[in-house]
Amino acid sequence: MANSRSSTAAKRRPIRLLDEFSVNRIAAGEVIERPAAAVKEIVENSIDAEASQIDIEFSNGGKSLIRVADNGIGIDPSELPLAIARHATSKIDGSDLLDIDTFGFRGEALPSMGAAGRLTVTSRRQGANSAFSIKVDGGTVSPAKPAALLTGTIVELERLFHATPARLKFLRSDGAETKAIVAAVKSLAMAHPRIAFSLSEIAPGGKPRTVFKVTAESGEPNSAVLERLRKLVGKDFTENSVVVDSQRDGIRLFGYSSLPTFARGAATQQHLFVNQRPVRDKLLHGALRAAYMDVLPKGRFPVAALFLECPPHLVDVNVHPAKTEVRFRDPQLVRSLIVSGIRRALANEGHRTSSTISSAMSGSFRRGGNYKNDLDFRSDRYHLYESREPQARGDGTDRPPSLPGDFPFGDTQDAPDECLPPNAFLGAARAQLHGNYIIAQTTTGIALVDQHAAHERLTYEELKRQFSQRAVEAQALLIPEIVDLVEPERSRLLDSAEALEPLGLVIEPFGIGAVAVQAVPAILGEANCKDLVQEIVDELEDGRPNSVVEKRINEILSRMACHGSVRSGRKMSGAEMNALLRKMEETPNSGQCNHGRPTYITLSLKDIEKLFNRR
């Protein structure tokens, strides 16, 4: 032990101030942790410079070169030295650190880049007779000099982290860094549809390759955002998403979120913005997940592009050096706005199902393969169920129905389409396949409905409606269950006890370091109180005390709906099938079952004609 203490004492250093060069190198590691971060900071400066065109070039994943050129207002020669000085900014005046309504014109991250690599800033102020350039190499600043540039600003960053080789070793492959740069620029381009962007990669031979290029969008704001998303996220997303537009207490949520049947196996396509700033925020992503809790199974994630707008004083953007995280003054309000806004949008168009599913089915037919849900239409397995006793043949065997005279559902076949309700987009039932699939004729083609999946969702929504009309029944425990908790989790849970009680969960303090569960929702049956409480505690960090209980209750209702639904293999009459179709058309979320699978697929007459080479 003595030797150990002696060794430790020998390694101690006196406390002293670091020199400016070391401070800048440390700051570089905080703000510019990878090339994509440098690209993001420079492009944000161009946006604040009122640029309408921003062109980005890079090579070797941004390690060798990053060049950003814009046509913005430029930098005055007298301000160029300030642009590369630490703690110089145009974002705030120092009186209010929360009054931030821009990204910060120049100057915030540039000194860090100059400390980590070789930085050159060339700019011509709008209306000026000439341009000037200033260079920083590993923290060493050269005087500003006249340069050749017609308009705007060009920022070049070469050999990033060559001055900090330890940092360079932690960068990922060129491919991984390139992917991060593309994602960063696309996010900024989504948030600013009025600005034209181009992103090019310079190959080792020196020839640039365009990664993507978008022109400035015109028209009204909502349509401009939609067109930009179509170009960057994809046409499939814009055609299979719902419009989200909600406002509360000065905060507005706008954007597009996918139908539940247009989901992904990872949360990589979730684009969230706060005051046009791309963020990766735990609260926002958690709220998005909660909004789909009732319509997506575990392991499936929605695609979304959501824009939150609020007064600057209601959000702190300085939580993280890279500005990717934020802190809201009222996080529960923000979460509630997102959850309710998305759920309302889904409910308004909940009968829709993804068009990509129909495209996949049509493509499968053309390839001669089976659709992924194994719907086999070969002639030896295709049959129509009769709604009456089969007619006997002379040889003693049952005679199958002849078409069309003995069509099994003559009442639906003969029913004129004008008798259908105006919103009858699922049309009229014509037949039943394999005891589970309903074929309906629509005004534009056909619909194929999974009767069990559809009825399961209808039953579930009805159970939820009935359940919401009365208070959740609480089942008092004969012996309260004691759950040990550490601080501050225990205090947070008790602070939320009042919010949990309407859901049938009664929690009271029990001495130091424990709580007593007095009652649980009766519908949960013999609930594991310890696990339930721990799940709630884990959720409380994001301010959602009742989401776990709500989720548990919905899971029970979902299981009840599954067992109480029309079973696969049951023969249905024409009237029953049409009644199911009409109910689907008026029920929220009927486009997918409780497990996130589609309840119906449509095939247009145009697609059918293509299958037969009639188009």
Side-chain angles (χ1 to χ4, degrees):
M1 292 294 293
N3 289 339
S4 176
R5 286 194 297 270
S6 176
S7 175
T8 302
K11 293 181 180 178
R12 287 176 181 156
R13 296 287 188 272
I15 299 173
R16 59 186 177 85
L17 288 173
L18 292 175
D19 58 82
E20 186 72 12
F21 180 63
S22 298
V23 169
N24 283 341
R25 292 173 69 182
I26 293 172
E30 292 177 346
V31 179
I32 311 299
E33 77 275 9
R34 65 189 307 184
V39 172
K40 172 180 174 293
E41 293 287 344
I42 300 172
V43 172
E44 286 180 344
N45 285 341
S46 295
I47 293 171
D48 274 344
E50 303 173 17
S52 61
Q53 174 77 45
I54 303 175
D55 301 309
I56 306 104
E57 296 179 329
F58 68 95
S59 61
N60 299 110
K63 302 170 190 175
S64 299
L65 171 69
I66 294 171
R67 181 187 294 120
V68 179
D70 67 53
N71 63 349
I73 61 176
I75 306 174
D76 192 88
S78 63
E79 291 184 342
L80 275 177
L82 285 175
I84 57 171
R86 295 189 70 232
H87 309 307
T89 182
S90 65
K91 188 167 67 172
I92 57 176
D93 60 9
S95 61
D96 187 353
L97 296 182
L98 293 181
D99 186 17
I100 301 172
D101 56 7
T102 72
F103 295 116
F105 178 62
R106 312 298 173 195
E108 286 192 294
L110 296 181
S112 298
M113 298 178 201
R118 182 182 298 161
L119 178 72
T120 303
V121 181
T122 305
S123 187
R124 182 170 181 170
R125 184 71 175 181
Q126 205 170 64
N129 294 325
S130 60
F132 282 81
S133 179
I134 193 168
K135 294 185 178 181
V136 188
D137 190 352
T140 303
V141 182
S142 300
K145 298 179 179 179
L149 183 64
L150 292 177
T151 184
T153 301
I154 297 178
V155 177
E156 290 185 331
L157 179 59
E158 302 173 278
R159 299 178 61 195
L160 180 61
F161 295 132
H162 84 278
T164 54
R167 192 77 184 178
L168 187 63
K169 290 193 300 184
F170 284 93
L171 291 182
R172 300 177 65 184
S173 66
D174 288 358
E177 296 300 339
T178 295
K179 187 177 180 180
I181 290 174
V182 174
V185 177
K186 279 190 173 182
S187 290
L188 291 167
M190 288 179 210
H192 300 276
R194 303 297 192 193
I195 301 176
F197 287 84
S198 72
L199 178 64
S200 302
E201 181 179 15
I202 300 177
K207 187 176 181 181
R209 175 186 68 88
T210 301
V211 179
F212 77 86
K213 185 176 183 179
V214 290
T215 57
E217 310 301 340
S218 58
E220 57 95 17
N222 291 1
S223 63
V225 171
L226 183 63
E227 181 60 20
R228 180 58 58 89
L229 292 177
R230 186 188 67 80
K231 294 176 180 177
L232 296 179
V233 186
K235 181 180 177 182
D236 283 346
F237 167 65
T238 55
E239 289 184 350
N240 294 283
S241 60
V242 296
V243 180
V244 181
D245 196 348
S246 297
Q247 193 164 344
R248 188 182 305 171
D249 296 344
I251 302 178
R252 186 198 179 201
L253 174 69
F254 171 76
Y256 298 84
S257 203
S258 69
L259 296 169
T261 46
F262 188 83
R264 295 290 180 264
T268 55
Q269 290 294 311
Q270 296 179 354
H271 309 282
L272 305 177
F273 305 85
V274 176
N275 290 343
Q276 294 187 295
R277 185 187 301 274
V279 296
R280 296 190 302 270
D281 187 81
K282 186 177 179 181
L283 170 69
L284 301 183
H285 282 283
L288 178 58
R289 183 174 63 250
Y292 283 82
M293 179 180 66
D294 202 28
V295 291
L296 274 184
K298 185 177 181 181
R300 301 296 293 173
F301 302 88
V303 181
L306 299 172
F307 304 85
L308 200 69
E309 300 171 359
C310 67
H313 67 275
L314 295 182
V315 58
D316 183 1
V317 299
N318 288 314
V319 177
H320 189 276
K323 310 297 188 294
T324 56
E325 300 174 13
V326 295
R327 181 184 293 119
F328 295 98
R329 177 171 293 183
D330 191 344
Q332 189 58 38
L333 171 64
V334 173
R335 182 182 185 276
S336 176
L337 178 65
I338 294 173
V339 173
S340 62
I342 294 177
R343 286 184 176 177
R344 183 164 54 249
L346 291 175
N348 290 341
E349 300 189 59
H351 57 268
R352 287 175 58 198
T353 189
S354 172
S355 63
T356 55
I357 299 173
S358 302
S359 300
M361 183 178 72
S362 178
S364 179
F365 286 162
R366 280 193 287 268
R367 293 190 300 271
N370 292 338
Y371 179 58
K372 64 180 180 179
N373 279 357
D374 198 26
L375 305 184
D376 198 332
F377 283 83
R378 292 178 300 176
S379 59
D380 61 333
R381 295 187 61 187
Y382 178 87
H383 60 280
L384 298 172
Y385 283 115
E386 293 190 272
S387 60
R388 59 182 183 274
E389 291 296 320
Q391 300 177 12
R393 294 170 59 103
D395 56 5
T397 60
D398 290 339
R399 179 174 65 84
S402 60
L403 298 172
D406 286 335
F407 196 88
F409 302 121
D411 56 337
T412 59
Q413 185 194 34
D414 297 335
D417 290 339
E418 56 267 22
C419 294
L420 296 173
N423 64 338
F425 58 88
L426 289 177
R430 296 304 192 220
Q432 186 184 32
L433 301 180
H434 304 304
N436 191 49
Y437 302 103
I438 300 170
I439 287 189
Q441 178 179 327
T442 68
T443 57
T444 58
I446 64 172
L448 184 63
V449 180
D450 183 329
Q451 68 186 41
H452 172 69
H455 197 261
E456 182 181 28
R457 170 55 72 174
L458 301 183
T459 304
Y460 179 40
E461 292 295 330
E462 178 61 20
L463 283 174
K464 287 196 301 180
R465 186 190 66 79
Q466 295 175 4
F467 199 72
S468 66
Q469 291 180 350
R470 60 181 177 85
V472 178
E473 184 179 351
Q475 175 65 52
L477 301 179
L478 293 176
I479 302 176
E481 185 158 343
I482 309 304
V483 180
D484 295 327
L485 290 173
V486 297
E487 295 292 352
E489 285 82 1
R490 176 180 176 275
S491 297
R492 284 206 300 263
L493 179 63
L494 292 174
D495 289 342
S496 303
E498 186 176 347
L500 293 170
E501 193 165 337
L503 288 172
L505 185 64
V506 180
I507 297 175
E508 296 179 354
F510 188 83
I512 299 175
V515 297
V517 180
Q518 300 285 354
V520 296
I523 197 171
L524 296 184
E526 296 183 6
N528 186 320
C529 295
K530 184 176 181 180
D531 288 349
L532 179 60
V533 167
Q534 190 58 57
E535 283 187 53
I536 294 172
V537 168
D538 293 340
E539 297 285 321
L540 279 174
E541 188 176 351
D542 293 331
R544 40 184 198 260
N546 53 8
S547 62
V548 172
V549 181
E550 179 187 357
K551 182 179 179 181
R552 289 280 188 95
I553 290 175
N554 284 341
E555 286 173 351
I556 297 292
L557 294 177
S558 178
R559 286 198 292 270
M560 292 169 60
C562 184
H563 290 292
S565 300
V566 173
R567 310 305 298 170
S568 298
R570 175 189 161 187
K571 298 179 182 179
M572 297 178 69
S573 69
E576 288 177 320
M577 290 191 293
N578 277 310
L580 180 66
L581 299 182
R582 301 293 80 78
K583 191 67 176 176
M584 289 176 65
E585 292 160 349
E586 64 184 36
T587 301
N589 304 315
S590 63
Q592 63 282 323
C593 74
N594 306 353
H595 315 291
R597 295 190 297 268
T599 57
Y600 72 92
I601 298 168
T602 58
L603 197 61
S604 69
L605 186 59
K606 179 180 177 181
D607 290 333
I608 296 172
E609 291 175 339
K610 285 182 179 178
L611 294 175
F612 292 95
N613 295 324
R614 298 175 71 91
R615 279 181 177 263

